[in-house]
Amino acid sequence: MIECVRKAQQGDREAFIELIENKKAQMYKTALLQLKSSADALDAVQETILIAFERIYTLRKPELFNTWLIRILLNQCHDIQRERKKVIAIDEFYESNDRGTCCSEFDKVELKEMVQSLENIYRTVIDLRYNEDMKVDDIARVLDIPPGTVKSRINKALKLLKSQFEDVKKEGTNI
Amino acid sequence: MNCMEVQELMELYYNGELDEATMDRFDEHLKHCESCLNYYNYLEKTISEIKYMYDNIELPKELDNIDSLIPKKPKKKKSLYKKAAAAVSIILIAAALANSNALADTIKKIAYPEWASKIAGKSVTNSFDKGFGQSVEISDTRSGITMTVHNVIIEEDKTRVIFSLSGVRGGDNVSIGRILIKDKKGKVLVNGGGWGYTYNDKEGKVYVSYEGERINKNPDELTFEVSDIRVLNNRKKEFDYSMANSLASDIKLALDSKIYKNVNFKSIEQASNKLIVKYEVEFYDMKTYGTLTPYVELTGGKKTLTSVYSGDSNNPQTSTATIEETFDLKETAPNNLKLQFIYYEIEKELPDAFKVSFKVDKSTINTSKIEKAIGKTITIGNSKITIDRLEATPSETRIIVKEANNASTFGNISGSYLPELQLEYDNKLHTANRTPIQGSRVNEYLYTFDPIDNFKDVKLKVNKAAVLSYCNEQIKLTGISEEKQKTQKIIDEVPFDIVYYRQNGDLKVEIYSSDSDKGYLQDVSLDKDKEGKSIKTSIERQDLSYKESRFIVTGSDFKDDSASLVIKAYTKIINPGVEINFGS
């Protein structure tokens, strides 16, 4: 990857495309979890690709390409959130979801929605950890917080999911 | 290990990020604790469900074809001020150079302009001596300006074109928007987009030694193309200093300009011995003109102390730059001052591209390069750098230094951490020609030396490096009076001389390194007074280089007879004492 980043930095467009090809799925999923809308997520990803392409030469350490890219993406998501202050109607959300692929007790409660409804700081660590598959130290670097904080946020996020899950289960049985 | 600890470590355990000992204790606990085991089962399930959830998000078809989302070329703009970072560098030529008549004679005799070696270093001369520089001497004249391509040198990893622009009025500046090298069919081989900004000699001739990326193949014919040329004229606007006292709101400076949409003076403040001028410049087109920052000059006063600029020509959203300039008013009666606003105006914009095509003498192309891996990591203070490799091309020898892999995360090695490198051969020590510049790869730094003909008994020496050190050294200043007192403090072998006295009710402390080969000062302050109150302190630094700097610390309105000075940071010169031998 490092060689690829270097080539891209020297203006090699194919190398840049290769880098993005490898990251596009993760990027889109991250954006979707952050923004809850497919159109917005796509915007964020497109914008991130453009920025990265134009500014890749400013990246001083090629090995940090991934963290650098995610930083740009998260900033883009943040900008979009701020700009549109968009509140997603629950109906729209359900419509846009492709359900029925899940195969466990979670399918009734839609895990994606639960992750999305987490507070921003918890949602982001979950995403970086399980979508971007990042190590604690790398997450710390992306978010500019100490590794210890990353660990506790991950734990907290998982606990929150647990309690949400239990709430939903209770509701489910009531109905 | 208790349940809480275990639950905190669970996620790391799941991801296999615990060390063995912790893992053993973890396992041990889990064997006996049912609630933790339940929690772990839950966690495992949740995480795998989260991953499953991600796997099942479908990508929109817009992302199928990434190619279509990316423009054909990056809109790369480089600031003029980042000369060192430019992979493509245009070397500026000092004003005083050989006059053009003498030059014509020189060209005939030695086939390369003498000034070229001055601006491009010995490498140009050497290239010609070895027979692979090519003389071109073809001109193209448009709108009264003539571009002449003098020489071309094609090497393994760079293409150098030495050219000049004449017909520019003496004193005007020229900016060059784009430089291209094309092959016979018009295909671009080298794209030197971005801005060059050159100075002019008094004869109205601008000299440029352009260094571009390598040309990979051996072309029969090349076209050198220079376009988006702007001739810029320096303008001055004098304004009434008395407005300094009446500046209640923004004052707009009326300029009939194509570059600056608005110039607003936000404030002009006079504070003790300083005049601080703050203004905002709105550009019509930040991307194109953002580097043509106007400035303020003060006549009748002393030199400018600092100029703070904030603006970003890389960011298309910004159009405004804020500039703050501070002047030294010492020994100057403020009513004699005149402020001048200096800006640029476009004298001429040349829409045409200047083109010169020439046949390439293939015998002059030299693409040989020797590469020797070194891979020696050395520690300098808190930084680690790796002396990565040596590269020798016919025109220069380079040592490439990298940030070591385990260097601090986002930190960069700054110039002050880069050691001085010397090569020893032919029983002589050769110090690098230039201070290291950032190489074409981002985390590399390049030291260039003269070319070496014979690689027998070449030794690389690292004897000197600068390390920034933080400290908190207190120095008692006692018996403060109008008379100058002297003291010395040695920190980590770096000697600092200190002179202190009272002047106009202020405490003045001068502090400087008395041996800049051992180290020098970076930051200093005054500590609280006897009653524990902060002293109102201002610090100024005389001389632009820290190495030679004398810091003058002023404690305003100071009544005590003693104070303490705190040295907070200094740079220490160390000797890494590294020696690397190259065999034949």
Side-chain angles (χ1 to χ4, degrees):
Chain A
M1 187 205 61
I2 290 174
E3 205 42 50
C4 212
V5 175
R6 286 200 177 121
K7 277 188 192 158
Q9 288 185 313
Q10 283 160 37
D12 186 339
R13 199 168 166 275
E14 292 310 313
F16 183 78
I17 291 173
E18 193 184 322
L19 288 170
I20 296 298
E21 278 295 342
N22 289 333
K23 295 296 295 178
K24 68 178 184 186
Q26 284 173 323
M27 284 165 73
Y28 173 75
K29 290 170 187 177
T30 297
L32 184 67
L33 270 281
Q34 294 284 340
L35 297 168
K36 306 176 181 76
S37 140
S38 177
D40 283 355
L42 198 59
D43 276 358
V45 171
Q46 284 182 348
E47 203 50 42
T48 303
I49 293 174
L50 283 176
I51 293 173
F53 185 58
E54 278 187 27
R55 314 231 17 168
I56 190 163
Y57 74 96
T58 65
L59 178 66
R60 294 175 62 118
K61 296 178 139 206
E63 63 271 30
L64 296 180
F65 174 78
N66 284 345
T67 47
W68 177 75
L69 193 69
I70 294 161
R71 268 195 169 182
I72 298 176
L73 181 67
L74 290 177
N75 283 339
Q76 285 307 309
C77 291
H78 183 70
D79 282 357
I80 290 174
Q81 278 164 339
R82 205 175 39 193
E83 252 171 55
R84 307 193 183 165
K85 290 211 169 118
K86 201 168 175 178
V87 183
I88 290 286
I90 295 291
D91 296 351
E92 187 191 328
F93 186 74
Y94 275 105
E95 273 166 27
S96 70
N97 271 327
D98 173 26
R99 294 202 284 163
T101 46
C102 277
C103 51
S104 72
E105 55 189 305
F106 281 94
D107 63 358
K108 288 179 189 127
V109 291
E110 196 52 61
L111 185 68
K112 189 162 88 184
E113 192 193 356
M114 283 178 11
V115 175
Q116 280 173 330
S117 69
L118 285 176
E119 214 180 303
N120 200 356
I121 55 169
Y122 299 118
R123 186 174 61 233
T124 306
V125 287
I126 289 287
D127 186 80
L128 295 179
R129 185 73 163 160
Y130 303 116
N131 175 33
E132 304 280 357
D133 290 323
M134 293 172 86
K135 292 241 181 300
V136 169
D137 285 355
D138 290 334
I139 299 174
R141 204 174 290 158
V142 170
L143 301 177
D144 215 0
I145 53 177
T149 310
V150 174
K151 284 180 208 160
S152 63
R153 278 190 194 173
I154 293 172
N155 281 327
K156 181 79 189 288
L158 290 170
K159 273 194 183 129
L160 284 170
L161 284 177
K162 182 174 193 254
S163 62
Q164 271 201 26
F165 180 59
E166 278 161 2
D167 284 353
V168 176
K169 258 210 300 210
K170 263 181 234 156
E171 269 172 43
T173 48
N174 287 343
I175 295 162
Chain B
M1 228 180 239
N2 61 35
C3 291
M4 216 165 113
E5 284 171 296
V6 165
Q7 291 188 10
E8 258 165 28
L9 292 174
M10 246 172 220
E11 201 271 344
L12 293 173
Y13 177 87
Y14 175 86
N15 277 289
E17 285 182 55
L18 290 183
D19 60 58
E20 232 171 88
T22 318
M23 205 139 72
D24 288 344
R25 283 160 60 209
F26 188 96
D27 283 335
E28 194 55 38
H29 180 97
L30 229 53
K31 264 187 219 162
H32 303 107
C33 178
E34 208 192 324
S35 77
C36 278
L37 189 67
N38 284 341
Y39 188 68
Y40 183 72
N41 288 336
Y42 157 77
L43 203 75
E44 202 173 33
K45 198 179 218 166
T46 309
I47 294 171
S48 66
E49 287 296 339
I50 291 173
K51 290 190 168 176
Y52 185 79
M53 177 269 291
Y54 275 114
D55 286 343
N56 280 290
I57 294 177
E58 265 177 53
L59 289 194
K61 56 183 177 308
E62 283 91 331
L63 288 177
D64 287 348
N65 187 3
I66 290 294
D67 194 297
S68 64
L69 299 176
I70 302 171
K72 291 295 163 224
K73 281 254 165 229
K75 284 185 247 149
K76 194 196 277 187
K77 290 261 182 216
K78 280 178 183 170
S79 159
L80 297 179
Y81 305 106
K82 288 180 192 156
K83 272 176 262 164
V88 164
S89 68
I90 291 175
I91 299 162
L92 307 179
I93 307 159
L97 280 176
N99 72 47
S100 46
N101 289 337
L103 195 65
D105 290 333
T106 331
I107 290 167
K108 274 176 212 152
K109 270 185 252 154
I110 59 170
Y112 64 88
E114 203 171 353
W115 52 264
S117 59
K118 283 191 189 167
I119 53 165
K122 244 186 167 172
S123 58
V124 174
T125 320
N126 192 71
S127 300
F128 277 90
D129 286 349
K130 295 204 167 168
F132 56 88
Q134 187 185 336
S135 179
V136 179
E137 300 303 332
I138 302 176
S139 303
D140 185 17
T141 303
R142 282 161 206 270
S143 318
I145 305 268
T146 301
M147 178 189 78
T148 306
V149 173
H150 298 287
N151 300 98
V152 175
I153 300 164
I154 301 171
E155 286 181 42
E156 194 275 336
D157 59 358
K158 73 178 166 224
T159 306
R160 192 194 290 277
V161 177
I162 295 158
F163 71 99
S164 65
L165 291 166
S166 58
V168 183
R169 196 172 56 188
D172 281 353
N173 297 304
V174 176
S175 74
I176 299 164
R178 179 169 284 272
I179 294 175
L180 297 172
I181 302 176
K182 295 177 177 173
D183 69 6
K184 212 175 178 175
K185 289 176 190 154
K187 193 182 168 217
V188 177
L189 302 174
V190 177
N191 184 350
W195 278 70
Y197 180 23
T198 61
Y199 296 109
N200 186 331
D201 77 347
K202 282 176 188 146
E203 307 290 324
K205 200 162 185 174
V206 172
Y207 299 95
V208 182
S209 169
Y210 167 80
E211 212 176 280
E213 303 148 48
R214 84 177 114 184
I215 292 174
N216 279 320
K217 48 184 184 171
N218 293 353
D220 299 324
E221 195 182 305
L222 288 177
T223 301
F224 185 70
E225 203 177 300
V226 174
S227 57
D228 296 344
I229 292 181
R230 291 185 177 88
V231 180
L232 302 161
N233 191 221
N234 274 2
R235 302 267 172 94
K236 278 182 188 177
K237 201 170 178 88
E238 208 167 273
F239 57 88
D240 190 4
Y241 177 68
S242 68
M243 85 185 213
N245 304 323
S246 60
L247 193 74
S249 59
D250 296 10
I251 291 183
K252 270 194 184 143
L253 211 58
L255 302 177
D256 183 21
S257 167
K258 287 178 194 154
I259 299 179
Y260 317 106
K261 198 172 179 185
N262 274 312
V263 176
N264 274 350
F265 276 79
K266 307 298 284 182
S267 67
I268 303 178
E269 279 170 40
Q270 202 182 310
S272 65
N273 283 330
K274 278 174 195 153
L275 183 74
I276 302 161
V277 183
K278 267 187 214 169
Y279 55 98
E280 256 176 27
V281 179
E282 189 184 348
F283 291 89
Y284 279 108
D285 179 356
M286 183 75 151
K287 274 198 147 179
T288 313
Y289 301 121
T291 48
L292 301 174
T293 318
Y295 57 99
V296 173
E297 236 176 43
L298 187 72
T299 51
K302 278 207 165 180
K303 61 181 178 178
T304 307
L305 291 175
T306 55
S307 182
V308 183
Y309 172 87
S310 71
D312 183 3
S313 58
N314 280 318
N315 183 352
Q317 255 98 54
T318 56
S319 63
T320 307
T322 313
I323 299 133
E324 182 181 316
E325 282 179 282
T326 311
F327 299 94
D328 192 348
L329 288 188
K330 239 176 280 161
E331 300 151 36
T332 312
N335 45 3
N336 289 337
L337 297 175
K338 269 181 190 154
L339 280 179
Q340 281 183 326
F341 181 74
I342 295 157
Y343 60 102
Y344 302 92
E345 210 34 85
I346 302 167
E347 182 72 28
K348 238 185 216 177
E349 260 181 307
L350 306 174
D352 304 335
F354 290 73
K355 281 182 198 168
V356 164
S357 299
F358 52 90
K359 290 251 178 291
V360 176
D361 177 359
K362 285 187 182 169
S363 67
T364 65
I365 299 177
N366 190 322
T367 56
S368 63
K369 185 166 100 172
I370 302 169
E371 222 179 301
K372 283 173 192 282
I374 304 171
K376 168 100 181 160
T377 297
I378 56 177
T379 304
I380 297 167
N382 291 326
S383 299
K384 275 199 170 96
I385 58 161
T386 301
I387 300 176
D388 188 63
R389 63 188 187 276
L390 175 141
E391 286 176 5
T393 71
S395 67
E396 66 186 17
T397 304
R398 309 179 195 125
I399 302 281
I400 289 104
V401 169
K402 276 179 164 181
E403 292 172 78
N405 290 334
N406 52 356
S408 65
T409 52
F410 272 102
N412 303 307
I413 39 171
S414 66
S416 67
Y417 286 91
L418 289 170
E420 183 180 288
L421 300 189
Q422 292 178 317
L423 285 175
E424 192 184 280
Y425 56 91
D426 297 341
N427 299 320
K428 262 190 230 154
L429 267 182
H430 305 259
T431 306
N433 287 340
R434 288 185 286 214
T435 42
I437 58 165
Q438 198 173 352
S440 53
R441 292 180 191 175
V442 279
N443 64 341
E444 292 185 350
Y445 293 83
L446 202 66
Y447 291 73
T448 55
F449 296 81
D450 289 343
I452 300 175
D453 294 327
N454 186 349
F455 267 94
K456 264 183 195 160
D457 301 325
V458 178
K459 220 181 258 175
L460 174 71
K461 289 185 166 183
V462 190
N463 292 329
K464 230 187 211 182
V467 178
L468 179 65
S469 313
Y470 294 96
C471 63
N472 194 15
E473 288 285 341
Q474 307 237 348
I475 300 137
K476 280 267 172 262
L477 309 175
T478 51
I480 296 168
S481 71
E482 310 267 308
E483 227 167 279
K484 289 190 176 178
Q485 317 265 348
K486 275 186 187 165
T487 180
Q488 202 191 45
K489 174 84 183 173
I490 297 169
I491 302 169
D492 199 8
E493 292 170 21
V494 187
F496 294 103
D497 276 342
I498 300 154
V499 176
Y500 58 99
Y501 51 94
R502 196 193 304 278
Q503 191 187 58
N504 303 331
D506 295 342
L507 167 66
K508 292 269 177 192
V509 188
E510 293 172 24
I511 170 167
Y512 51 94
S513 157
S514 35
D515 188 350
S516 58
D517 286 337
K518 286 192 173 152
Y520 40 92
L521 188 65
Q522 291 282 359
D523 193 16
V524 69
S525 74
L526 279 174
D527 206 5
K528 295 186 169 92
D529 69 9
K530 272 183 194 160
E531 288 151 24
K533 272 190 284 182
S534 300
I535 302 166
K536 206 177 170 198
T537 311
S538 66
I539 297 166
E540 68 186 72
R541 198 159 61 80
Q542 290 180 341
D543 210 311
L544 281 174
S545 96
Y546 272 90
K547 207 175 164 192
E548 309 297 334
S549 264
R550 191 176 280 255
F551 282 67
I552 300 175
V553 187
T554 308
S556 307
D557 217 4
F558 189 84
K559 295 191 181 68
D560 287 347
D561 59 354
S562 70
S564 62
L565 184 75
V566 187
I567 294 180
K568 289 171 150 176
Y570 61 98
T571 291
K572 190 177 182 203
I573 309 289
I574 58 158
N575 182 357
V578 173
E579 242 182 62
I580 298 157
N581 284 300
F582 301 100
S584 51

Coordinates of all heavy atoms in Angstrom, one line a residue, chain A residues 11-14 16-17 20 46-55, chain B residues 65-76 287:
Chain A
G11 N 1.4 11.7 -8.5 CA 0.5 12.0 -9.6 C 0.0 10.8 -10.4 O -0.6 11.0 -11.4
D12 N 0.3 9.6 -9.9 CA -0.2 8.4 -10.6 C -1.6 8.2 -10.3 O -2.0 7.7 -9.2 CB 0.7 7.2 -10.2 CG 0.4 6.0 -11.0 OD1 -0.7 5.9 -11.5 OD2 1.2 5.1 -11.0
R13 N -2.5 8.5 -11.3 CA -3.9 8.4 -11.1 C -4.4 7.0 -10.8 O -5.2 6.7 -10.0 CB -4.6 9.0 -12.3 CG -6.0 9.4 -12.1 CD -6.5 10.2 -13.2 NE -7.9 10.3 -13.1 CZ -8.8 9.4 -13.7 NH1 -8.3 8.4 -14.3 NH2 -10.1 9.6 -13.5
E14 N -3.8 6.0 -11.6 CA -4.2 4.6 -11.4 C -3.9 4.1 -10.0 O -4.7 3.4 -9.4 CB -3.4 3.7 -12.4 CG -3.7 4.0 -13.9 CD -5.2 3.9 -14.2 OE1 -5.9 3.0 -13.7 OE2 -5.6 4.9 -14.8
F16 N -3.9 5.9 -7.4 CA -4.8 6.5 -6.5 C -6.2 5.7 -6.5 O -6.8 5.4 -5.5 CB -5.0 8.0 -6.8 CG -6.0 8.6 -5.9 CD1 -5.6 9.0 -4.6 CD2 -7.3 8.9 -6.2 CE1 -6.5 9.6 -3.7 CE2 -8.2 9.5 -5.4 CZ -7.8 9.9 -4.1
I17 N -6.6 5.4 -7.8 CA -7.8 4.6 -7.9 C -7.7 3.3 -7.2 O -8.7 2.9 -6.5 CB -8.1 4.4 -9.5 CG1 -8.5 5.7 -10.1 CG2 -9.2 3.4 -9.7 CD1 -8.6 5.7 -11.6
I20 N -8.3 3.8 -3.5 CA -9.7 4.1 -3.2 C -10.6 2.8 -3.4 O -11.5 2.5 -2.6 CB -10.3 5.2 -4.1 CG1 -9.5 6.5 -3.7 CG2 -11.8 5.4 -3.9 CD1 -9.7 7.0 -2.3
Q46 N -17.8 10.8 -2.0 CA -17.3 11.5 -3.2 C -16.4 12.7 -2.9 O -15.4 12.9 -3.5 CB -18.5 11.9 -4.1 CG -19.1 10.8 -4.8 CD -20.3 11.2 -5.7 OE1 -20.7 12.3 -5.7 NE2 -20.7 10.3 -6.6
E47 N -16.9 13.5 -2.0 CA -16.2 14.6 -1.6 C -14.8 14.2 -1.0 O -13.8 14.8 -1.3 CB -17.0 15.4 -0.5 CG -16.7 16.9 -0.4 CD -16.6 17.6 -1.7 OE1 -17.5 17.4 -2.6 OE2 -15.7 18.4 -1.9
T48 N -14.8 13.2 -0.2 CA -13.6 12.7 0.4 C -12.6 12.3 -0.6 O -11.4 12.6 -0.6 CB -13.9 11.5 1.4 OG1 -14.8 12.0 2.3 CG2 -12.6 11.0 2.1
I49 N -13.1 11.6 -1.7 CA -12.2 11.1 -2.7 C -11.6 12.3 -3.4 O -10.4 12.3 -3.7 CB -13.0 10.2 -3.7 CG1 -13.4 8.9 -3.1 CG2 -12.2 9.9 -5.0 CD1 -14.4 8.0 -3.9
L50 N -12.4 13.3 -3.7 CA -11.9 14.5 -4.4 C -10.8 15.2 -3.5 O -9.7 15.5 -4.0 CB -13.0 15.5 -4.7 CG -13.9 15.1 -5.9 CD1 -15.0 16.1 -6.0 CD2 -13.0 15.1 -7.1
I51 N -11.1 15.4 -2.3 CA -10.1 16.1 -1.4 C -8.9 15.3 -1.3 O -7.8 15.8 -1.5 CB -10.7 16.3 0.0 CG1 -11.9 17.3 -0.1 CG2 -9.7 16.8 1.0 CD1 -12.7 17.5 1.2
A52 N -9.0 14.0 -1.1 CA -7.8 13.1 -1.0 C -7.0 13.2 -2.2 O -5.8 13.2 -2.2 CB -8.2 11.7 -0.7
F53 N -7.6 13.1 -3.4 CA -6.9 13.2 -4.6 C -6.1 14.5 -4.8 O -5.0 14.5 -5.2 CB -7.9 13.0 -5.8 CG -7.3 12.9 -7.1 CD1 -6.4 11.9 -7.4 CD2 -7.5 13.8 -8.2 CE1 -5.8 11.8 -8.7 CE2 -6.9 13.7 -9.4 CZ -6.0 12.7 -9.7
E54 N -6.7 15.6 -4.4 CA -6.1 16.8 -4.6 C -5.0 17.1 -3.5 O -4.0 17.8 -3.8 CB -7.1 18.0 -4.5 CG -7.7 18.2 -5.8 CD -8.6 19.4 -5.8 OE1 -8.4 20.4 -5.1 OE2 -9.6 19.4 -6.6
R55 N -5.1 16.4 -2.4 CA -4.2 16.8 -1.3 C -3.3 15.7 -0.9 O -2.6 15.8 0.1 CB -5.0 17.3 -0.1 CG -6.1 18.2 -0.5 CD -6.2 19.5 0.3 NE -5.0 19.9 1.0 CZ -4.9 21.1 1.5 NH1 -5.8 22.0 1.3 NH2 -3.8 21.4 2.2
Chain B
N65 N -17.8 2.5 -10.3 CA -16.7 3.1 -11.2 C -16.1 4.3 -10.5 O -16.5 5.4 -10.7 CB -17.4 3.5 -12.5 CG -16.3 3.9 -13.5 OD1 -15.1 3.8 -13.2 ND2 -16.7 4.3 -14.7
I66 N -15.0 4.0 -9.8 CA -14.3 5.1 -9.1 C -13.6 6.0 -10.1 O -13.6 7.2 -9.9 CB -13.2 4.4 -8.1 CG1 -13.9 3.7 -7.0 CG2 -12.2 5.5 -7.6 CD1 -14.6 4.6 -6.0
D67 N -13.2 5.4 -11.1 CA -12.5 6.2 -12.2 C -13.2 7.5 -12.5 O -12.7 8.6 -12.7 CB -12.3 5.3 -13.4 CG -11.3 5.9 -14.4 OD1 -11.6 7.0 -14.9 OD2 -10.3 5.3 -14.6
S68 N -14.6 7.3 -12.7 CA -15.4 8.5 -13.2 C -15.5 9.5 -12.1 O -15.9 10.7 -12.4 CB -16.8 8.0 -13.6 OG -17.4 7.5 -12.4
L69 N -15.2 9.2 -10.9 CA -15.4 10.2 -9.8 C -14.1 11.1 -9.6 O -14.1 12.1 -8.9 CB -15.6 9.5 -8.4 CG -16.9 8.6 -8.3 CD1 -16.9 7.9 -7.0 CD2 -18.1 9.5 -8.5
I70 N -13.0 10.7 -10.2 CA -11.8 11.4 -10.0 C -11.4 12.2 -11.2 O -11.5 11.7 -12.3 CB -10.7 10.3 -9.7 CG1 -11.1 9.5 -8.5 CG2 -9.3 11.0 -9.4 CD1 -10.1 8.3 -8.2
P71 N -11.1 13.4 -11.0 CA -10.7 14.3 -12.1 C -9.4 13.7 -12.8 O -8.7 12.9 -12.2 CB -10.4 15.6 -11.5 CG -10.4 15.4 -10.1 CD -11.1 14.2 -9.7
K72 N -9.2 14.2 -14.0 CA -8.0 13.6 -14.7 C -6.7 14.0 -14.1 O -5.7 13.3 -14.2 CB -8.1 14.1 -16.2 CG -9.2 13.4 -17.0 CD -9.1 11.9 -17.1 CE -10.4 11.3 -17.5 NZ -10.8 10.1 -16.7
K73 N -6.7 15.2 -13.6 CA -5.4 15.6 -13.0 C -5.7 16.3 -11.6 O -6.7 17.0 -11.5 CB -4.7 16.7 -13.9 CG -4.0 16.2 -15.0 CD -2.5 16.3 -14.8 CE -1.8 15.4 -15.8 NZ -0.8 14.6 -15.3
P74 N -4.8 16.1 -10.6 CA -5.0 16.8 -9.4 C -4.8 18.3 -9.6 O -3.9 18.7 -10.4 CB -4.0 16.2 -8.4 CG -3.0 15.6 -9.3 CD -3.6 15.3 -10.6
K75 N -5.6 19.1 -9.0 CA -5.4 20.6 -9.1 C -4.4 21.0 -8.1 O -4.6 21.6 -7.1 CB -6.7 21.3 -8.8 CG -7.7 21.3 -10.0 CD -8.9 22.1 -9.7 CE -10.1 21.3 -9.6 NZ -11.1 21.8 -8.7
K76 N -3.2 20.5 -8.3 CA -2.1 20.8 -7.3 C -1.6 22.2 -7.4 O -1.1 22.6 -8.4 CB -1.0 19.7 -7.5 CG -0.1 19.6 -6.3 CD 1.2 18.9 -6.8 CE 1.0 17.4 -6.7 NZ 2.3 16.7 -7.0
K287 N -7.0 31.4 -5.5 CA -6.2 30.3 -6.0 C -5.1 30.8 -6.9 O -4.0 30.3 -6.9 CB -7.1 29.3 -6.8 CG -7.8 28.3 -5.9 CD -8.3 27.2 -6.7 CE -8.1 25.9 -5.9 NZ -8.6 24.7 -6.6

